[in-house]
Each structure stands twice: as structure tokens, then as C-alpha cells.
Amino acid sequence: YTLLVDRNARYRNRSIDLEERTYYGKVLHFVVLNLPPSCPFIQASPSYIAGQPLSVVLAAITPIKPTSHNELGMPSYTELGPIEVVDASTIKCVVGRVKDRDTWTIIERHPVTQAFNDSELEATGNPIRGESE
């Protein structure tokens, strides 16, 4: 998942300087909040439609505490951190993990996790639905 993090968070007198950072973790739960149109802060949401309720999906995640990265840049860890609750739309892809002795290594395969649109799936057959040419 990705989050915007203030580079100057340790310096209270400096202005906010946000950068996007990638994190890895284990999803524990998804929570859906159905907010009524009368909720005062939903109007700030980019997906807000006047007079309509807004559904927000949150994910409870235990992030990994990376201890190192291998030569391919894949993070390794032995511990998980405290639970964080994040907007589920920040989750970019699903990854795997492999255990070697007491250490887990994240396995990320970008070509496999790329999104397809419906016309691409129809043209090539949809392996997810079990269709083929």
C-alpha cells in the first residue's frame, strides 16, 4: 500500500513536504462505512455526490518491519508492526512471501498484478473466469 508521508514530520517549524512511500503488510480486516449525506465531512471527499450517501472502505493492516532488501530490492522481515487503519484504495497489489529460516521475504511480480480492462480480457480470454480461446 502507499501513503503520503511528511518528510518534515520531525521538524514542527518546517512546512509540510509530502512524499509517496510504499509499505507492505498483512490485511487483517476490511471495514465498510456507509456515511449518510448529512455527515459534515464527506463533502471534502473527491467521490462525493451531493445528496448521496458515501461508502468508505478501510483496511486494518499489520505492516512489516523491513530488516533488509535483497539484490532484487525485495524487502525481508522477521516482525510485524502495530495495526494501522488505512483507506483501502491505497492498496496497490497483492504480494506473496517466502520463508527462509526465521526470515520472510516479500515476492512482488508487477507484470502479474497489472490491471486489465474488460476489452483486454475479452480479447485474450479471461483466465480468472476460466474462459479461454
Side-chain angles (χ1 to χ4, degrees), residues 1-12:
Y1 58 103
T2 59
L3 297 176
L4 292 176
V5 178
D6 182 6
R7 293 182 205 191
N8 295 328
R10 297 175 192 226
Y11 309 101
R12 65 179 172 160

Side-chain angles (χ1 to χ4, degrees), residues 33-48:
L33 301 175
N34 294 310
L35 304 174
S38 60
C39 187
F41 61 87
I42 69 169
Q43 295 174 4
S45 170
S47 55
Y48 172 70

Side-chain angles (χ1 to χ4, degrees), residues 5-65:
V5 178
D6 182 6
R7 293 182 205 191
N8 295 328
R10 297 175 192 226
Y11 309 101
R12 65 179 172 160
N13 293 326
R14 292 188 185 173
S15 61
I16 295 173
D17 182 17
L18 298 176
E19 73 174 346
E20 190 174 88
R21 290 190 188 161
T22 300
Y23 296 91
Y24 298 92
K26 179 180 178 180
V27 176
L28 302 174
H29 302 284
F30 287 101
V31 177
V32 179
L33 301 175
N34 294 310
L35 304 174
S38 60
C39 187
F41 61 87
I42 69 169
Q43 295 174 4
S45 170
S47 55
Y48 172 70
I49 299 172
Q52 297 294 318
L54 178 68
S55 292
V56 178
V57 181
L58 302 176
I61 299 175
T62 53
I64 69 166
K65 292 182 176 182

